């Protein structure tokens, strides 16, 4: 038996190209003749389809100009018949020197602009956009550090009753903490890899979790046991969100899809495919678009929950989108990428403004009802913004635990409690930090460093 000679892919591809070329080279001179009339007709249809409105306006403008010129000519002819020496007609008595001067002038000093009755568009000067003054927000300060996990703390969720919160970490354990005292109430074990996402149901005693072990679990908090598994993801599950009004769970991860699950029957209702890289963030809301996803492919997608199809793809970001947050009261959301934080208006995803300043990967964001937007970076930086104006009123570097390296200053997730008065962050130094507003701060002690300037907001 002869051994088959192996060739590189490069050689095989070029052999295939050569065979294709040799096969079709005889037909190169047999192209059909070009019909000039059809070509002209094609270009005419294309031009009318693309520039039809411009052609119509140009034709109207030409007709208006021709009509005006004809009117001026007829007026000039009538004047010539009445007075041949129209320029020297100023010798007549006009009553004032001003009248004489205006009669002797070849060109009137200020000719009245004729009022056009046509539909021609008049270009008006635009007013320069101005920035409204930002609302004053008190600065935030660290009030508690909670230790207990043995690995990076990757996710956090607050219970709707605002009594406790849950965290998941690289030690594969979900821990439940008392929000008021910071004491550990319960530890849940069951995942075999890093826990990456948590969600607490507002209508049932259920806690949902997902992790890098491809598992999505539903925990019954009355028995502290797993009662359901949602099977279907092909790789690590990085994020999850519960629909606020219907019993639907949305999970997303490294397999570039978001999956919609019926909470009770465990059925995979939809598989939202379209992203070309890891889906890092997903949020849900009752109004359209009901699902919004952000991905490492630098896009944000808005999904129709009923059909399971993408309604819109936002391609403005240049780098991976790792965090998306919905405003609690406004019909808006924000997406975070290393290039910028961008604000959008629902339901079409209209761009509002850029919030720039982070020089690192932005892992997480949170916003409270007072309009305080917080973003956390991979290098431990925290930026506090006024949502309406995009004014950055505070920024600082989160301190790492004693004994930790500076490289362990990353912030992985953050959330406001139900009142919006406490901010919980989970970090790479294995701690959970709780922040609150400085009660002693006033507008005089911490003034707004506001410099009004014109900003050209570009939608890029």
């Amino acid at each position: 038996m002869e051994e088959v000679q192996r060739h590189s892919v490069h050689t095989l591809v070029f052999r295939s190209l050569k065979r294709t070329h040799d096969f079709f080279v005889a037909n190169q001179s047999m192209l059909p003749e070009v019909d000039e009339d059809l070509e002209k007709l094609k270009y005419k249809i294309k031009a009318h389809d693309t520039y039809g409105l411009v052609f119509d306006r140009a034709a109207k403008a030409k007709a208006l100009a021709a009509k005006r010129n004809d009117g001026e000519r007829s007026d000039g002819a009538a004047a010539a018949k009445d007075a041949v020496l129209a320029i020297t007609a100023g010798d007549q008595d006009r009553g004032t020197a001003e009248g004489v001067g205006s009669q002797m002038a070849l060109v009137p000093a200020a000719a009245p602009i004729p009022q056009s009755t046509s539909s021609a568009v008049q270009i008006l000067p635009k007013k320069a956009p101005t920035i409204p003054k930002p609302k004053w927000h008190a600065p935030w300060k660290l009030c508690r550090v909670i230790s207990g996990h043995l690995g990076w703390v990757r996710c956090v969720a607050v219970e709707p009753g605002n009594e406790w919160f849950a965290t998941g970490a690289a030690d594969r354990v979900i821990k439940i903490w008392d929000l008021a005292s910071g004491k550990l109430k319960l530890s849940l074990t069951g995942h075999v890899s890093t826990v990456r996402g948590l969600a607490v149901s507002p209508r049932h005693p259920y806690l949902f979790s997902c992790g890098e072990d491809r598992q999505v679990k539903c925990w019954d908090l009355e028995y502290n046991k797993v009662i359901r598994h949602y099977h279907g993801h092909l790789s690590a599950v990085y994020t999850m969100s519960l629909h606020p009004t219907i019993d639907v769970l949305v999970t997303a991860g490294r397999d570039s899809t978001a999956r919609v699950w019926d909470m009770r029957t465990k059925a995979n209702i939809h598989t939202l495919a379209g992203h070309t890289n890891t889906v890092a963030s997903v949020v849900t809301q009752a109004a359209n678009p009901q699902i919004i996803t952000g991905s490492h492919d630098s896009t944000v997608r808005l999904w129709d929950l009923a059909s399971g199809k993408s309604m819109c793809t936002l391609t403005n970001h240049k780098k991976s989108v790792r965090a998306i947050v919905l405003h609690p009261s406004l019909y808006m959301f924000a997406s975070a990428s290393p290039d910028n934080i961008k604000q959008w208006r629902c339901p079409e995803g209209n761009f509002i403004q850029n919030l720039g300043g982070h020089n690192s990967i932005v892992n997480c964001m949170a916003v409270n009802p007072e309009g305080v937007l917080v973003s956390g970076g991979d290098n431990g930086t925290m930026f506090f913004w006024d949502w309406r104006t995009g004014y950055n009123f505070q920024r600082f570097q989160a301190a790492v635990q004693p004994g930790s390296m500076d490289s362990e200053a990353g912030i992985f997730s953050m959330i406001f409690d139900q009142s919006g008065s406490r901010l919980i962050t989970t970090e790479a130094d294995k701690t959970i930090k709780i922040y609150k507003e400085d009660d002693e701060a006033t507008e005089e002690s911490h003034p707004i460093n506001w410099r009004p300037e014109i900003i050209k907001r570009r939608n890029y």
Side-chain angles (χ1 to χ4, degrees), residues 159-370:
E159 180 252 343
N162 217 33
E163 294 180 359
W164 52 265
F165 66 94
T167 55
D171 59 6
R172 309 184 297 280
V173 181
I174 299 167
K175 291 182 181 284
I176 294 177
W177 312 85
D178 185 73
L179 186 57
S181 63
K183 292 181 180 178
L184 180 65
K185 298 180 73 171
L186 184 67
S187 293
L188 301 173
T189 57
H191 280 280
V192 294
S193 190
T194 304
V195 182
R196 292 295 294 263
L198 292 170
V200 185
S201 173
R203 296 184 301 280
H204 312 94
Y206 294 158
L207 170 70
F208 295 86
S209 63
C210 63
E212 293 180 6
D213 51 9
R214 297 181 294 180
Q215 295 187 44
V216 180
K217 297 176 183 285
C218 173
W219 304 78
D220 189 327
L221 296 175
E222 291 177 344
Y223 300 97
N224 299 331
K225 290 182 179 178
V226 178
I227 58 170
R228 296 188 191 98
H229 287 91
Y230 303 89
H231 296 289
H233 276 285
L234 306 175
S235 191
V237 189
Y238 285 167
T239 179
M240 67 191 328
S241 178
L242 277 170
H243 195 282
T245 56
I246 56 178
D247 289 345
V248 159
L249 171 70
V250 185
T251 58
R254 214 169 67 195
D255 58 4
S256 307
T257 64
R259 293 177 186 265
V260 183
W261 309 90
D262 186 318
M263 189 189 295
R264 295 196 174 277
T265 66
K266 302 180 286 184
N268 188 180
I269 304 167
H270 295 302
T271 299
L272 309 178
H275 285 293
T276 58
N277 207 330
T278 300
V279 182
S281 182
V282 61
V283 292
T284 54
Q285 60 181 357
N288 286 328
Q290 297 191 46
I291 301 173
I292 305 169
T293 56
S295 170
H296 288 189
D297 64 8
S298 308
T299 65
V300 176
R301 282 182 179 260
L302 283 54
W303 303 87
D304 178 26
L305 179 57
S307 63
K309 294 180 180 177
S310 177
M311 298 163 53
C312 177
T313 303
L314 309 175
T315 59
N316 301 45
H317 284 289
K318 297 183 181 71
K319 297 183 180 179
S320 59
V321 182
R322 293 172 185 252
I324 290 178
V325 67
L326 293 167
H327 194 282
S329 55
L330 301 176
Y331 198 24
M332 295 172 67
F333 70 96
S335 58
S337 176
D339 54 5
N340 273 309
I341 296 170
K342 296 179 185 289
Q343 289 181 347
W344 314 87
R345 183 180 290 114
C346 296
E348 287 91 5
N350 301 320
F351 175 77
I352 303 299
Q353 65 180 345
N354 274 326
L355 281 63
H358 266 293
N359 294 319
S360 69
I361 294 170
V362 183
N363 283 327
C364 51
M365 290 190 298
V367 60
N368 71 1
E370 279 71 43

Side-chain angles (χ1 to χ4, degrees), residues 45-67:
I45 291 170
K46 274 190 176 181
H48 185 271
D49 185 46
T50 309
Y51 305 109
L53 186 64
V54 178
F55 290 158
D56 293 343
R57 289 193 178 181
K60 286 181 182 177
K62 284 182 180 178
L64 181 66
K67 188 176 179 182

